[in-house]
Amino acid sequence: MDHEADAYRTDLMTITRFVLNEQSKHPESRGDFTILLSHIVLGCKFVCSAVNKAGLAKLIGLAGETNVQGEEQKKLDVLSNEVFVKALISSGRTSILVSEEDEEATIVDKSMRGRYCVVFDPLDGSSNIDCGVSIGTIFGIYAIKDDHEPGLDDVLQPGKNMVAAGYCMYGSSCTLVLSTGEGVNGFTLDPSLGEFILTHPNIKIPKRGKIYSVNEGNAKNWDGPTSKYVEKCKYPTDGSSPKSLRYSMVADVHRTLLYGGIFLYPGDKKSPNGKLRVLYEVFPMSFLMEQAGGQSFTGTQRSLDLVPKSIHERSPIFLGSYDDVEDIKALYAAAEK
């Protein structure tokens, strides 16, 4: 028996311990944020378990309804949404919830209210469940500044005002990536312990990467700068190697964070505002990317400076390694001249 290995397993940095350590740096903290995060983590564990059993439990397949985005809902979409709504409300720390699956924002009952707003996509990429491709949950958290009746104005604010953001990816392993505004850290679920363990401390994205992620099926509708950039990725003129292509949001952003590169979902002739939703896709991922030393751009401005006018608003996005995003910004600047 390897006693040394067993001793090591008793000194693990779990996500609970990590968040409590962060809380101790703020003596004025009441622990509300820690409690809220613990409920989000519980929701992620539940969904991870459901995703792993989806085929066996007949959770795969359409639920027969269409969500507000016009996408046919999978049973797991419905389940994941219910799990997170209930977990967030029962925390007693939220006032308003915005989910991709619900047309209207959820205002929490007065008796269960707290000082945070949570925006989330309960199961991004759920159409890929059948074929085992990585899917995930994306979330962002805003704080309500003063004691008032919660309303849409509390969530219709720039992404730079978020106090935390993260995603949980359900794939070959279950990985939760979190930023509370002081860097980015990654945790992996240890199934034998039922705990998320810190495996990727202080993630920093490389200044430049070798991979680009985009849906090339929309190429005929792209604008000039996007077409030029993708052409440059495939046929570089400076003697460097071509970039490799991958595409799928949570998995691609995760890989881009770790290895560098760029993820792009531009606006095009068919969808001028792109396809990704500002509040619970663009903002959380942009928040994480900037915290890791990268940047995020809409084609006209910094993504986190956007002020959304509706809860399901969409925006183009280019995010990833700092220098890679600088390249696409330069192409847009040149096109304006």
Side-chain angles (χ1 to χ4, degrees), residues 26 28 41 45 52-53 60-61 64 114 118 121-122 131 133 194 230 238 246 306 311:
H26 304 276
E28 74 287 357
V41 167
K45 288 179 184 174
N52 289 340
K53 294 185 293 197
I60 287 175
V118 183
D121 184 346
C131 55
V133 175
V230 173
D238 58 1
R246 304 279 186 279
L306 265 177
I311 61 174

Side-chain angles (χ1 to χ4, degrees), residues 16-331:
T16 308
R17 182 176 157 194
F18 179 86
V19 172
L20 285 170
N21 284 356
E22 291 298 302
Q23 182 188 317
S24 67
K25 296 176 188 173
H26 304 276
E28 74 287 357
S29 172
R30 300 181 306 186
D32 287 355
F33 186 66
T34 304
I35 291 167
L36 174 59
L37 278 178
S38 72
H39 280 251
I40 290 174
V41 167
L42 178 63
C44 291
K45 288 179 184 174
F46 191 106
V47 174
C48 178
S49 173
V51 167
N52 289 340
K53 294 185 293 197
L56 298 172
K58 291 190 167 53
L59 289 166
I60 287 175
L62 301 176
E65 297 174 13
T66 302
N67 74 3
V68 63
Q69 311 302 335
E71 300 163 341
E72 289 183 304
Q73 281 185 297
K74 293 273 181 173
K75 290 176 184 174
L76 261 177
D77 282 14
V78 181
L79 176 72
S80 304
N81 192 45
E82 286 177 5
V83 164
F84 277 101
V85 168
K86 285 174 180 170
L88 292 166
I89 291 175
S90 67
S91 73
R93 301 300 183 275
T94 57
S95 281
I96 184 166
L97 311 177
V98 173
S99 166
E100 190 220 18
E101 301 295 337
D102 297 325
E103 192 161 357
E104 303 292 333
T106 301
I107 307 292
V108 178
D109 189 80
K110 222 166 193 168
S111 63
M112 297 292 286
R113 251 175 229 170
R115 50 191 291 262
Y116 293 102
C117 307
V118 183
V119 293
F120 60 100
D121 184 346
L123 206 61
D124 187 80
S126 55
S127 59
N128 291 325
I129 298 165
D130 306 49
C131 55
V133 175
S134 291
I135 51 182
T137 298
I138 309 171
F139 62 90
I141 303 171
Y142 289 103
I144 294 180
K145 296 289 185 287
D146 47 29
D147 193 21
H148 65 274
E149 190 66 23
L152 289 185
D153 287 348
D154 292 312
V155 288
L156 294 178
Q157 50 178 317
K160 62 187 176 186
N161 295 350
M162 280 185 171
V163 294
Y167 61 83
C168 188
M169 185 174 68
Y170 315 109
S172 54
S173 61
C174 182
T175 307
L176 194 152
V177 175
L178 174 70
S179 174
T180 56
E182 294 178 10
V184 181
N185 292 278
F187 303 82
T188 304
L189 184 64
D190 182 335
S192 65
L193 298 174
E195 287 278 9
F196 279 100
I197 309 299
L198 180 64
T199 50
H200 296 78
N202 197 25
I203 296 170
K204 291 291 178 198
I205 185 171
K207 289 273 282 179
R208 192 175 284 282
K210 297 176 181 174
I211 297 170
Y212 72 106
S213 307
V214 68
N215 183 353
E216 288 221 47
N218 295 328
K220 67 175 184 179
N221 296 316
W222 288 343
D223 59 19
T226 299
S227 300
K228 279 181 189 167
Y229 182 78
V230 173
E231 188 74 4
K232 189 178 150 199
C233 288
K234 295 193 282 191
Y235 307 104
T237 54
D238 58 1
S240 60
S241 300
K243 290 184 187 289
S244 303
L245 170 68
R246 304 279 186 279
Y247 180 69
S248 149
M249 187 171 197
V250 176
D252 280 336
V253 171
H254 183 66
R255 191 193 51 252
T256 302
L257 259 182
L258 297 182
Y259 304 135
I262 188 166
F263 174 93
L264 44 153
Y265 206 122
D268 56 37
K269 292 171 193 163
K270 205 169 90 180
S271 307
N273 294 322
K275 282 285 183 73
L276 299 181
R277 274 67 57 138
V278 172
L279 275 180
Y280 40 81
E281 290 176 321
V282 171
F283 279 172
M285 293 309 202
S286 301
F287 187 93
L288 289 165
M289 204 56 73
E290 285 198 8
Q291 284 293 318
Q295 56 176 328
S296 179
F297 175 64
T298 66
T300 56
Q301 67 182 121
R302 175 190 178 210
S303 298
L304 291 180
D305 287 339
L306 265 177
V307 182
K309 295 179 177 62
S310 66
I311 61 174
H312 297 297
E313 189 172 313
R314 301 171 192 254
S315 167
I317 188 171
F318 306 85
L319 83 169
S321 294
Y322 194 93
D323 290 351
D324 286 328
V325 178
E326 281 296 304
D327 290 347
I328 191 92
K329 283 166 84 171
L331 288 168

